[in-house]
């Protein structure tokens, strides 16, 4: 786990990236935001790329922790999976969504730290699929009728989530469409005759 000094530097770096964008942010900007000399900063991180990658790794690790928390809450499995997805993506976007350079920072995340993002996405799929497997073992859902696997369902949910973000900027509309899709998925994997319980897919 990173020490307090490193955490402070990563916080300062995130603030600088959001203020100036990845391309225009310099190590001097980060050093200034962290209240330290540029030479001292280089002792912790040899380059801006290394600094950004460390911040990306921290952000994805934290987001996956939020996923784990969401999956342990009460409720049907699809509602917990939906909450876990919201926690993951919301956590990653929380600090950059209000920045005018948010889009650039996201692009940099793919260009500079794409492998880190990819590993985290794979870990997210594993966690969500595991929740569905556990629900299947408990008799809450079944996949035999639909011919889909837990992994298929997870990848479909993630693809729909990505599509909804691109299709509309209205969060209420996205939530309504997400809830509709979750009801459709539930209908396809619920044991025969099991109705959607109150509060499911809200």
């Amino acid at each position: 786990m990173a020490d307090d000094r490193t955490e402070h530097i990563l916080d300062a770096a995130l603030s600088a990236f959001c203020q100036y964008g990845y391309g225009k942010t310099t190590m001097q900007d980060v050093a200034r935001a962290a209240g330290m000399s540029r030479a001292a900063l280089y002792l912790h991180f040899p380059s801006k790329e290394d600094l950004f990658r460390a911040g990306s790794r921290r952000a994805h690790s934290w987001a996956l922790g939020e996923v784990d928390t969401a999956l342990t809450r009460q409720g049907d499995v699809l509602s917990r999976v939906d909450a876990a997805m919201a926690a993951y993506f919301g956590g990653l976007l929380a600090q950059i969504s209000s920045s005018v350079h948010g889009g650039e920072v996201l692009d940099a995340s793919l260009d500079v730290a794409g492998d880190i993002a990819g590993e985290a996405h794979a870990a997210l799929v594993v966690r969500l699929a595991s929740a569905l497997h556990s629900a299947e073992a408990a008799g809450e859902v079944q996949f035999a009728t639909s011919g889909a696997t837990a992994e298929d369902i997870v990848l479909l949910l993630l693809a729909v989530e990505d599509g909804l973000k691109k299709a509309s900027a209205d969060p209420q509309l996205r939530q309504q469409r997400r809830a509709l899709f979750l009801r459709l998925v539930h209908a396809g994997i619920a044991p025969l005759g099991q109705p959607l319980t109150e509060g499911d897919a809200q």
Side-chain angles (χ1 to χ4, degrees):
M1 180 174 291
D3 58 29
D4 291 343
R5 187 62 166 169
T6 299
E7 290 290 325
H8 175 68
I9 292 172
L10 293 179
D11 287 341
L14 178 58
S15 176
F17 289 135
C18 288
Q19 183 175 357
Y20 304 114
Y22 177 76
K24 291 185 177 180
T25 297
T26 66
M27 291 292 273
Q28 180 60 52
D29 293 326
V30 176
R32 186 182 303 111
M36 62 195 306
S37 69
R38 188 172 62 173
L41 175 60
Y42 277 114
L43 292 176
H44 291 271
F45 298 99
S47 70
K48 181 172 74 170
E49 179 178 316
D50 288 319
L51 179 59
F52 189 87
R53 285 175 59 81
S56 178
R57 186 173 288 107
R58 181 183 69 159
H60 283 91
S61 177
W62 183 86
L64 287 172
E66 292 299 292
V67 168
D68 292 335
T69 298
L71 290 175
T72 61
R73 292 172 184 157
Q74 297 297 315
D76 69 285
V77 68
L78 285 180
S79 292
R80 289 187 288 113
V81 165
D82 185 48
M85 288 169 50
Y88 180 81
F89 293 111
L92 290 178
L93 296 174
Q95 290 181 282
I96 65 173
S97 59
S98 60
S99 168
V100 294
H101 300 290
E104 183 194 346
V105 175
L106 282 177
D107 289 341
S109 180
L110 296 177
D111 294 339
V112 180
D115 57 326
I116 295 171
E119 290 169 4
H121 186 273
L124 172 65
V125 171
V126 169
R127 282 165 163 79
L128 300 183
S130 178
L132 287 173
H133 282 304
S134 295
E136 182 183 29
E140 183 183 346
V141 298
Q142 62 179 11
F143 301 114
T145 303
S146 66
T149 66
E151 289 75 13
D152 290 333
I153 297 297
V154 169
L155 293 174
L156 184 59
L157 290 171
L158 290 169
V160 168
E161 177 66 18
D162 184 56
L164 288 175
K165 290 177 182 176
K166 294 176 180 177
S168 175
D170 183 347
Q172 184 173 1
L173 179 60
R174 290 201 304 270
Q175 178 58 33
Q176 291 172 352
R177 291 175 175 172
R178 182 186 300 109
L180 171 61
F181 186 71
L182 287 172
R183 290 196 296 271
L184 294 174
V185 171
H186 180 277
I189 64 176
L192 188 63
Q194 179 179 307
L196 200 64
T197 58
E198 183 179 355
D200 285 357
Q202 292 297 314

